[in-house]
Amino acid sequence: MNIVLFGPPGVGKGTQSDNLVNELGITHFAMGDILREAVKEGTALGLKAKTYMDSGKLVPDALVIGMIEARIMDPEVTGGFLLDGFPRNVSQAEALASMLEKHGESIDRVVFMDAPEAMLLKRLSGRLICRACGFGFHRHYSPPRKEGRCDRCSGELYQRDDDKEEVIGQRLEVYGEQTRPLLEYYKALPAFRRLDASGEMTAVYAELMKAVKN
Ligand code: AP5
């Protein structure tokens, strides 16, 4: 099964994807994580991407499309994939459609997750991530047992640079201008599902599972 998950920053795409890919046995491609990895490794592409990410703007299509195509077309990826954070504008969606067609693949579900902006702000500003294993927490909604330390591996928890207040506003603006129009692009497809992601995590997951299976 091939799934596309899209929605505003902080709506819970990463949180829900982790559970979903484990349950369905598919591969998770999170565009933001792929880019952050490139930044950490200091590759030429990562260095270029960093400037855009730090200011809350989208990384140019020419960089991200090639990165995602290489991954989803990897022959070792069997059983399907979940795309989280790609596509993020209409031209990326068109590129995805043509790369899938070229390789005889298609999208089985496109799930749009949404929640009110005030809730997105709370989720983003309280997010904490483990520097060692990447697991996500939230200061209020899913706090770690020991402050500043990951429950899973005891790694150090940090706040993403782009989760600082001044960058969050810009990310939400970019989302409204460039990513939300994907709704028009996808909503007529039989594969399209809309999900209210404002509930608590387990309730949202149950609804997501229904959206994927029905
Ligand atoms: P990316 O990392 O993809 O960021 P994003 O889309 O802004 O999404 P987030 O990771 O912020 O949010 P999420 O929906 O995954 O929320 P999460 O589950 O963590 O992209 C970062 C940057 O990379 C972009 O700004 C851009 O520069 C670049 N980029 C990425 N893709 C690109 C592309 N295709 N093209 C060009 N550039 C690209 O949840 C957030 C918090 O809320 C967590 O703390 C979580 O614990 C909590 N939470 C989640 N669900 C709930 C719930 N139901 N109740 C309470 N708390 C909850």
Side-chain angles (χ1 to χ4, degrees):
M1 178 168 234
N2 298 331
I3 302 171
V4 167
L5 209 55
F6 79 102
V11 75
K13 301 181 295 295
T15 305
Q16 300 299 341
S17 298
D18 285 341
N19 296 327
L20 194 65
V21 295
N22 285 336
E23 190 163 345
L24 299 179
I26 60 178
T27 306
H28 183 193
F29 295 117
M31 195 67 233
D33 290 346
I34 294 170
L35 288 165
R36 278 184 290 278
E37 197 54 41
V39 171
K40 201 166 137 191
E41 286 168 1
T43 64
L45 202 150
L47 294 177
K48 267 192 206 154
K50 188 175 184 327
T51 333
Y52 295 93
M53 296 169 78
D54 285 350
S55 58
K57 296 192 179 121
L58 292 191
V59 176
D61 292 348
L63 300 183
V64 295
I65 291 170
M67 289 173 96
I68 211 75
E69 181 164 18
R71 282 167 175 81
I72 62 182
M73 294 314 159
D74 181 339
E76 289 190 10
V77 174
T78 53
F81 55 79
L82 184 153
L83 291 178
D84 154 11
F86 185 95
R88 228 173 169 105
N89 59 28
V90 172
S91 65
Q92 291 180 15
E94 288 168 347
L96 175 64
S98 64
M99 74 178 84
L100 292 176
E101 195 185 343
K102 191 166 79 185
H103 295 275
E105 293 268 358
S106 57
I107 301 172
D108 302 294
R109 282 288 175 273
V110 179
V111 183
F112 171 59
M113 296 173 67
D114 205 9
E117 191 166 306
M119 196 171 266
L120 302 174
L121 289 170
K122 278 193 195 155
R123 288 184 185 176
L124 288 169
S125 55
R127 173 165 53 189
L128 296 169
I129 297 171
C130 174
R131 223 178 263 292
C133 73
F135 194 70
F137 295 86
H138 192 281
R139 283 196 179 96
H140 310 292
Y141 305 131
S142 53
R145 282 193 293 270
K146 189 172 169 202
E147 204 188 322
R149 290 282 153 196
C150 176
D151 291 355
R152 290 191 168 180
C153 74
S154 300
E156 182 201 359
L157 301 184
Y158 76 102
Q159 183 184 39
R160 263 168 55 175
D161 285 342
D162 63 350
D163 279 348
K164 308 229 160 92
E165 219 175 298
E166 57 280 15
V167 190
I168 291 177
Q170 170 72 13
R171 286 165 65 201
L172 290 171
E173 211 170 289
V174 168
Y175 164 76
E177 285 166 7
Q178 301 190 48
T179 308
R180 202 173 162 90
L182 280 177
L183 202 48
E184 283 305 309
Y185 180 87
Y186 280 129
K187 76 177 185 196
L189 293 187
F192 179 80
R193 301 287 183 274
R194 190 179 187 129
L195 181 71
D196 175 2
S198 60
E200 54 90 27
M201 290 181 206
T202 50
V204 174
Y205 184 66
E207 288 305 309
L208 175 60
M209 211 43 177
K210 273 193 219 156
V212 165
K213 292 204 163 157
N214 300 310

